[in-house]
């Protein structure tokens, strides 16, 4: 998978506890929280031996198990850190809203691993080539949802945002889960988006797994560009995000879509 990993620390306790030391972090409450550190392989040679060393497969399997158990996890993406759960698990979706203190009328996006997965959960009215030009990447495409998607996810709208982050761990996670993840930013609602795990430590006790991928390369905190492509021949920018110019250029210049400014 192109990365190795360290389990930074995991502790079970009835109290909230945060331990800091060189290379060590832990947070725990009644539910054990596991903090897993992804490390890029060095240019040459193996990583130094360590008692806490685990490979990337361990992190992947631990995260998948937590998701399959109906838990909420924190994960790195190509834009900001996110909270994720299985989109088809209604109780897990409720947990996400509770953890964030999120307004129940604000939708969650879904995250999938492959372009073809979009066709399972969305009704696509644009060329597949367009999807391939924008994804994987820092773009959320808003499309009409299909009947296969959990009816309890965003029940107030027929639309859903879908992402394929340009992040190897996230793509592999979706592929192994073999179902969509519900994805939102890892922060309390109304607070700033996060680009490092220490920035949302207050949420750790509510999470089963925190995957620490290090600081996000894009420090803008703008998140993905959100564009509605549910109307044939039209596009509407819902959020400018970090890929606004490139997205609009592709939609207009290559595919001839017209901007729908909305009402």
């Amino acid at each position: 998978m192109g990365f190795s990993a360290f389990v930074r620390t995991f502790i079970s306790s009835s109290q909230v506890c945060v331990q800091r030391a060189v290379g060590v972090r832990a947070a725990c409450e009644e539910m054990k929280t596991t903090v897993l550190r992804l490390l890029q392989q060095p240019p040459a040679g193996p990583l130094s031996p360590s008692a806490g060393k685990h490979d990337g497969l361990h992190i992947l399997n631990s995260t998948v198990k937590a998701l399959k158990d109906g838990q909420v996890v924190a994960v790195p993406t190509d834009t900001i850190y996110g909270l994720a759960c299985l989109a088809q698990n209604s109780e897990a979706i409720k947990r996400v809203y509770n953890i964030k203190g999120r307004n129940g009328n604000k939708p969650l996006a879904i995250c999938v691993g492959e372009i073809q997965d979009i066709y399972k959960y969305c009704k696509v009215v644009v060329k597949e080539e367009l999807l391939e030009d924008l994804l994987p990447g820092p773009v959320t495409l808003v499309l009409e949802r299909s009947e296969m998607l959990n009816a309890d996810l965003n029940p107030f709208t027929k639309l859903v945002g879908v992402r394929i982050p340009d992040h190897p761990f996230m793509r592999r996670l979706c592929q192994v889960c073999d179902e969509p993840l519900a994805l939102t930013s890892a922060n309390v609602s109304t607070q700033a988006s996060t680009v490092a795990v220490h920035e949302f430590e207050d949420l750790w006790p509510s999470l089963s797994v925190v995957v620490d991928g290090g600081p996000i390369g894009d420090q803008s905190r703008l998140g993905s560009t959100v564009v509605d492509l549910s109307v044939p021949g039209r596009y509407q920018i819902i959020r400018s995000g970090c890929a606004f110019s490139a997205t609009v250029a592709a939609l207009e210049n290559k595919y001839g879509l017209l901007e729908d400014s909305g009402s």
Side-chain angles (χ1 to χ4, degrees):
M1 294 179 61
F3 51 78
S4 289
F6 286 93
V7 176
R8 307 271 307 253
T9 287
F10 51 97
I11 302 174
S12 180
S13 172
S14 60
Q15 299 176 340
V16 176
C17 56
V18 177
Q19 177 184 356
R20 290 185 177 278
V22 178
V24 178
R25 283 201 191 106
C28 50
E29 202 176 40
E30 293 181 358
M31 181 180 70
K32 182 172 67 176
T33 300
T34 305
V35 183
L36 302 171
R37 170 71 163 141
L38 292 176
L39 292 179
Q40 296 297 322
Q41 286 281 17
L47 290 169
S48 300
S50 169
K53 187 169 123 177
H54 289 245
D55 61 18
L57 185 60
H58 170 81
I59 286 190
L60 182 66
N61 289 340
S62 296
T63 309
V64 169
K65 183 180 185 306
L67 290 166
K68 294 291 187 180
D69 286 344
Q71 302 301 325
V72 179
V73 303
V75 289
T77 74
D78 51 352
T79 55
I80 55 179
Y81 272 86
L83 300 182
C85 72
L86 294 185
Q88 304 296 75
N89 187 319
S90 299
E91 290 303 315
I93 291 169
K94 291 178 184 177
R95 290 191 183 98
V96 170
Y97 278 93
N98 289 336
I99 290 169
K100 282 182 63 75
R102 187 175 178 86
N103 185 316
N105 292 322
K106 290 187 176 181
L108 301 179
I110 63 171
C111 177
V112 297
E114 302 290 348
I115 293 290
Q116 290 306 313
D117 295 330
I118 297 175
Y119 291 86
K120 298 178 186 176
Y121 304 103
C122 302
K123 299 176 181 179
V124 181
V125 295
V126 296
K127 295 180 179 179
E128 185 170 342
E129 184 184 2
L130 186 156
L131 302 182
E132 293 172 346
D133 276 348
L134 297 180
L135 301 172
V139 181
T140 299
L141 306 182
V142 178
L143 302 166
E144 187 173 346
R145 61 194 292 150
S146 78
E147 291 74 16
M148 286 191 65
L149 192 61
N150 183 4
D152 290 332
L153 178 73
N154 311 334
F156 44 82
T157 177
K158 66 178 183 178
L159 304 179
V160 66
V162 59
R163 285 212 65 199
I164 304 179
D166 190 12
H167 191 288
F169 177 79
M170 278 302 296
R171 289 198 67 188
R172 188 60 181 148
L173 181 63
C174 291
Q175 291 163 357
V176 174
C177 285
D178 196 30
E179 58 181 298
L181 303 182
L183 186 67
T184 185
S185 56
N187 57 282
V188 174
S189 289
T190 74
Q191 295 184 2
S193 300
T194 57
V195 293
V197 294
H198 69 83
E199 295 180 346
F200 59 91
E201 275 184 335
D202 55 331
L203 300 184
W204 287 11
S206 300
L207 307 174
S208 177
V209 171
V210 174
V211 179
D212 181 358
I216 302 294
D218 177 11
Q219 295 284 306
S220 70
R221 302 178 191 268
L222 294 176
S224 63
T225 295
V226 182
V227 57
D228 187 337
L229 296 178
S230 63
V231 178
R234 299 276 180 171
Y235 78 90
Q236 182 179 1
I237 298 296
I238 307 299
R239 182 177 71 195
S240 296
C242 64
F244 172 78
S245 297
T247 301
V248 170
L251 296 176
E252 293 186 352
N253 300 337
K254 185 171 182 179
Y255 296 99
L257 299 190
L258 301 176
E259 182 178 10
D260 185 351
S261 58
S263 56

